[in-house]
Amino acid sequence: MHKGAAWIVTVGNELLIGRVVNTNASWLAGRLTYLGYAVRRIVTVPDVEEDIAEVFREALARADVVVSTGGLGPTPDDITNIAFCRALGVDPAVNEEALRMVEERYRSRGYPLTPERVKMAQMPPGARPLPNPVGTAPGVLYEAGGKVVVLLPGVPREMEAIFEGYVEPLLKSRGPPVFFAERGLEVRGVPEADVAPIIREVLRLDPRIYVKSHPRGREVEAPLLYIHVYASAFDRGEADRLVDAAVGRLVQLLKARFGGAVSISEERRLA
Amino acid sequence: MHKGAAWIVTVGNELLIGRVVNTNASWLAGRLTYLGYAVRRIVTVPDVEEDIAEVFREALARADVVVSTGGLGPTPDDITNIAFCRALGVDPAVNEEALRMVEERYRSRGYPLTPERVKMAQMPPGARPLPNPVGTAPGVLYEAGGKVVVLLPGVPREMEAIFEGYVEPLLKSRGPPVFFAERGLEVRGVPEADVAPIIREVLRLDPRIYVKSHPRGREVEAPLLYIHVYASAFDRGEADRLVDAAVGRLVQLLKARFGGAVSISEERRLA
C-alpha cells in the first residue's frame, strides 16, 4: 500500500554533462518514500523548454505527485515555470503574492524589480507560490484533478527548506493516513564522520526509516551528537516497531564499533 | 554540432527510495559528453519489468545511443536484460559467448552454473556480450537501425571498466570524427583531497574537458599526483586549445592556493 505514485523531475544542463551529481533527486526520493509515496520515476532534462514541458506532460499522465527541482531563478535558462505552463497548455501569469515575495527579497537589499526578477513570479493561473526562506525564487504549488505538482529551486538548501516548510505538511495530509514515530538519542564520544557509515547501515533496514544526525559538541575534543530516528508506516504500531528496530540496531552497531568510548542516552526532549 | 542524442537509463529501487546517490548517471553523462554526444535525458526506474521495458521503448524512439546501468546480476530482481528484450518485442536467448564468460568466472571459484547465473547470459538475438573484467555479469551491446544500446551492470567499478574497455572505443568510431587532446602533469607537495576543489573549478571551463588525478606518492609525507587533462572537440586545434586552457587554469589555481609548497612539471610519458 502507498499514497500514490510520485515522479521527480530534475532540470539542468549541469546534470546532463556530468558536472553535478544529482543529490537533490536522492534527497527528494528519500523524503517522498518516508511520506508514503512510491517514487516510480526520476527524470533529468536539460534547460530546454520543450524537453521540460514534455516530461511534465508525461508525469501528469502517470503520477499523482510530481516534484521538480531547478530552473526557477532569474537567469534566461531558468524556464521551468514557463515550461510547466506550456505542458498545461496555459499562458503564464504573474502571481501577485509571488511578486510581493520576490520584490521584498530584492528591495531589502536595495535592488530594483527587473523583468528577469518578475519572471520568477510567473506561474499557471490558480497555482500558489511557496515562500523561499533562504533564496529569492518562490516555489510553485499546483493542484488539479487530484494531482499535486510542486516546482522547487535547484539550490539544495532552498529546495529542502521549501519542501520541509510547505510541501511535507501538505503531502502528510493527503491520501491514506500515514503514521510517524520518532526517537532521539544523545551520543557522546564519537565524531560525526565515524557515525555516518553506521547510519547508512541502519537505513538498510527499511526504506521507511529516516535518520538525521545533528552535531552539537566540539567535533574533536568533546563530540556530542543528537541522532533522531524517524519511521513512517500505514499503521501506528508498525511505525513504532520500525523506529525501535532502527534505534536497537544503531545502539548495537555503535557499541560494537566504539565499545566503552561511546555513551548513549535517550534524548529528553525532541527538537 | 554533436554525434547524436544519448539517453542514460539507471535501474534500481535503491535509487528511487533515496538510499543511493546516482553517481553512475553523472559519470556516464560526463563520458558521453566528452565523446561528443548530447545527453538529452537521464531516467531512473525501479526493478519492475514493465517500467524498464517502457523506458527502453521511449529511449529507442528518441535517442541514437542508450546506455543503461543496473539489473544485470544473478538475483531475481536483476531483470534489465529480460526487460530490454520485451521492449524490442523479442524472446531472450542464451548467448553462447556470454555463457562461457559467466561460466569461467564461476568455475574458477569452484561454483556451478545455476539457472540464476545462466540468466546473466540472456540477451536479444544478435546482441553481443561485453566482457566484465572485474565482475561476473557481462555487459550487453545491441546495434540496430543506426542505434546503439549498451546495458551495463550497476556496480560502479564494473560499469566503468566495461565502458572504458569496450563502449568508449566503439562510440569514438561512430558519427562525425571527434578529436581528442591530452596532457599530463606531475604535481608534488599537495594532497589529492586539497586538489579536488581545484579540479572541479577547472572542469567549469568547458563540458568537453575531462580531468583524472592519480595519486602515486604517500598521501601525507610525500604526496605525488599525476593529473591528466583531456579534451574533445570536432576540430583538432580546438581540442588542443581546450586542454591548454585547462592546464593553464589548473597551474594558476594550484600556485595561487599552495604557492611555493607545490611543484609542477609536465609528465614525460602518459600512462
Side-chain angles (χ1 to χ4, degrees), chain B residues 93-158:
Chain B
V94 170
N95 178 289
E96 290 304 321
E97 195 186 343
L99 190 65
R100 271 196 303 279
M101 291 176 187
V102 174
E103 199 177 6
E104 263 170 35
R105 280 273 159 191
Y106 282 105
R107 189 166 287 162
S108 68
R109 299 174 208 177
Y111 293 116
L113 205 56
T114 61
E116 296 76 42
R117 291 165 186 163
V118 171
K119 185 192 69 179
M120 293 193 284
Q122 292 196 315
M123 53 188 71
R128 198 151 81 66
L130 301 173
N132 183 338
V134 284
T136 49
V140 175
L141 170 66
Y142 180 83
E143 295 186 85
K147 293 179 186 261
V148 177
V149 180
V150 179
L151 317 184
L152 299 174
V155 177
R157 59 193 202 99
E158 300 184 20

Side-chain angles (χ1 to χ4, degrees), chain A residues 15-21 26 29-30 33 39-46 51 54-55 58 62 203 206-207 209, chain B residues 15-21 26 29-30 33 39-44 46 51 54-55 58 62 203 206-207 209:
Chain A
L15 296 161
L16 292 159
I17 63 170
R19 287 304 185 242
V20 170
V21 175
S26 50
T33 301
V39 180
R40 288 307 288 255
R41 197 180 266 220
I42 300 170
V43 186
T44 304
V45 289
D51 287 50
E54 186 173 50
V55 69
E58 296 166 10
R62 288 147 72 186
L203 291 174
D206 195 288
I209 293 167
Chain B
L15 296 161
L16 293 158
I17 62 170
R19 287 305 186 238
V20 170
V21 175
S26 51
T33 302
V39 180
R40 288 307 288 256
R41 198 180 264 223
I42 300 170
V43 186
T44 304
D51 287 50
E54 186 174 50
V55 68
E58 295 166 10
R62 289 148 70 186
L203 291 174
D206 195 288
I209 293 168

Side-chain angles (χ1 to χ4, degrees), chain B residues 28 78 97 149 181 221 245 248 253:
Chain B
L28 283 169
D78 288 314
E97 195 186 343
V149 180
E221 303 126 67
L253 289 169

Side-chain angles (χ1 to χ4, degrees), chain A residues 7-265:
Chain A
W7 277 35
I8 296 168
V9 173
T10 55
V11 179
N13 293 338
E14 69 284 6
L15 296 161
L16 292 159
I17 63 170
R19 287 304 185 242
V20 170
V21 175
N22 199 346
T23 53
N24 280 351
S26 50
W27 189 90
L28 283 169
R31 300 307 280 264
L32 288 165
T33 301
Y34 172 73
L35 291 169
Y37 289 88
V39 180
R40 288 307 288 255
R41 197 180 266 220
I42 300 170
V43 186
T44 304
V45 289
D47 302 300
V48 174
E49 191 174 318
E50 182 44 35
D51 287 50
I52 304 170
E54 186 173 50
V55 69
F56 274 122
R57 282 191 292 263
E58 296 166 10
L60 283 165
R62 288 147 72 186
D64 303 294
V65 169
V66 183
V67 181
S68 79
T69 66
L72 297 187
T75 72
D77 58 356
D78 288 313
I79 50 173
T80 298
N81 50 343
I82 308 301
F84 177 54
C85 292
R86 182 158 160 188
L88 294 174
V90 302
D91 284 326
V94 171
N95 178 290
E96 290 305 321
E97 194 186 344
L99 190 65
R100 271 195 304 277
M101 291 177 188
V102 173
E103 200 177 6
E104 262 169 37
R105 281 273 160 191
Y106 282 105
R107 189 166 289 162
S108 67
R109 300 174 210 177
Y111 294 116
L113 205 55
T114 62
E116 297 75 41
R117 291 165 186 162
V118 172
K119 185 192 68 179
M120 294 193 283
Q122 292 196 316
M123 52 188 72
R128 196 151 82 67
L130 301 173
N132 183 337
V134 285
T136 48
V140 176
L141 170 66
Y142 181 81
E143 295 186 84
K147 295 182 185 254
V148 178
V149 180
V150 179
L151 317 184
L152 299 174
V155 178
R157 61 193 201 97
E158 299 183 22
M159 184 273 291
E160 293 170 15
I162 300 175
F163 189 90
E164 291 185 339
Y166 304 95
V167 184
E168 196 161 294
L170 172 82
L171 294 182
K172 276 185 176 176
S173 72
R174 291 176 59 96
V178 175
F179 296 93
F180 299 90
E182 58 180 312
R183 281 175 63 185
L185 297 180
E186 288 186 3
V187 177
R188 288 174 195 278
V190 289
E192 189 177 27
D194 293 340
V195 176
I198 288 176
I199 289 178
R200 277 199 295 277
E201 182 71 32
V202 170
L203 291 174
R204 280 201 202 106
L205 283 177
D206 195 288
R208 296 166 295 173
I209 293 167
Y210 174 65
V211 179
K212 219 168 168 176
S213 74
H214 311 267
R216 290 286 155 80
R218 281 153 304 162
E219 177 71 357
V220 179
E221 303 126 66
L224 165 63
L225 286 176
Y226 291 164
I227 302 184
H228 293 173
V229 177
Y230 308 81
S232 65
F234 290 101
D235 169 279
R236 187 175 299 283
E238 174 74 357
D240 287 334
R241 275 189 297 277
L242 283 169
V243 160
D244 290 344
V247 168
R249 184 96 180 106
L250 182 64
V251 170
Q252 178 197 29
L253 288 169
L254 284 168
K255 288 191 172 159
R257 168 83 175 72
F258 300 104
V262 63
S263 122
I264 308 167
S265 57

